[in-house]
Amino acid sequence: MRLLFSWHAAVVGPYRRYVECLASLPGNQVLLLTPPRWFEGNRWVEAGAQTHESFRWVTLPVSNERDHIQFTYHGLEGVLREFQPDTAFIYEEPWSRAMAQHLWLLKKDFSRARTVFYSYQNIYNRYGWPHWAIEWLCHRLVQGAVVAG
């Protein structure tokens, strides 16, 4: 299975353990997508070396790089075209602009790709436009969700 794992916070070393475990499963080809740096734990964390034995790691520049709800990737469509994922695990909140960007491109060009999202917030909350619409679409277009809490 060709698995795209997109998570802005995976620039932090210990967070990549999840990706390493998925990549160790037989038959999985994993591509990790992160920004080159992210503001995490009140400091900038650089992606660092992007060579791993078990998975491929690509960094793309982002807009609004300090905002985990408003950021988007520059060049995501090219990465998707080159990698051709069977499954996309978008480790972003379902109301974020990054989720909207991933869903738009995946459903437009890779309609067979299964999509899973992650959410840390497991309570009902009302969001302003466009975030309530993104969340509504996400819940209707994805095939799975991982919810913490």
Side-chain angles (χ1 to χ4, degrees), residues 20 56-57 74 91 107 129 149:
E20 291 167 357
R56 186 172 150 220
W57 185 4
H74 299 285
Y91 211 84
K107 298 307 173 186
W129 172 261

Side-chain angles (χ1 to χ4, degrees), residues 5-140:
F5 196 103
S6 181
W7 186 16
H8 68 270
V11 296
V12 178
Y15 293 176
R16 289 190 294 275
R17 181 70 182 127
Y18 194 12
V19 179
E20 291 167 357
C21 290
L22 289 170
S24 71
L25 297 172
N28 278 356
Q29 296 176 44
V30 178
L31 181 134
L32 172 63
L33 175 65
T34 69
R37 67 184 193 149
W38 194 256
F39 197 75
E40 188 75 18
N42 292 321
R43 65 186 175 93
W44 285 106
V45 179
E46 301 290 329
Q50 297 159 26
T51 55
H52 291 272
E53 292 180 18
S54 59
F55 63 89
R56 186 172 150 220
W57 185 4
V58 172
T59 61
L60 291 177
V62 294
S63 61
N64 301 314
E65 66 183 346
R66 285 186 74 153
D67 190 335
H68 72 283
I69 301 300
Q70 301 291 344
F71 85 95
T72 56
Y73 286 98
H74 299 285
L76 177 59
E77 188 169 12
V79 170
L80 292 174
R81 283 194 191 289
E82 187 265 322
F83 187 64
Q84 300 281 319
D86 300 313
T87 302
F89 191 159
I90 314 305
Y91 211 84
E92 304 292 347
E93 296 292 354
W95 55 84
S96 70
R97 288 186 189 248
M99 177 59 73
Q101 180 189 29
H102 280 84
L103 285 176
W104 166 256
L105 292 172
L106 286 163
K107 298 307 173 186
K108 178 177 82 111
D109 295 327
F110 307 97
S111 59
R112 291 188 209 160
R114 296 173 301 271
T115 308
V116 177
F117 75 88
Y118 168 86
S119 182
Y120 187 72
Q121 186 167 340
N122 63 356
I123 57 172
Y124 179 74
N125 201 349
R126 290 185 184 218
Y127 303 98
W129 172 261
H131 302 287
W132 66 263
I134 295 169
E135 182 181 37
W136 184 86
L137 280 171
C138 179
H139 285 271
R140 282 150 185 80

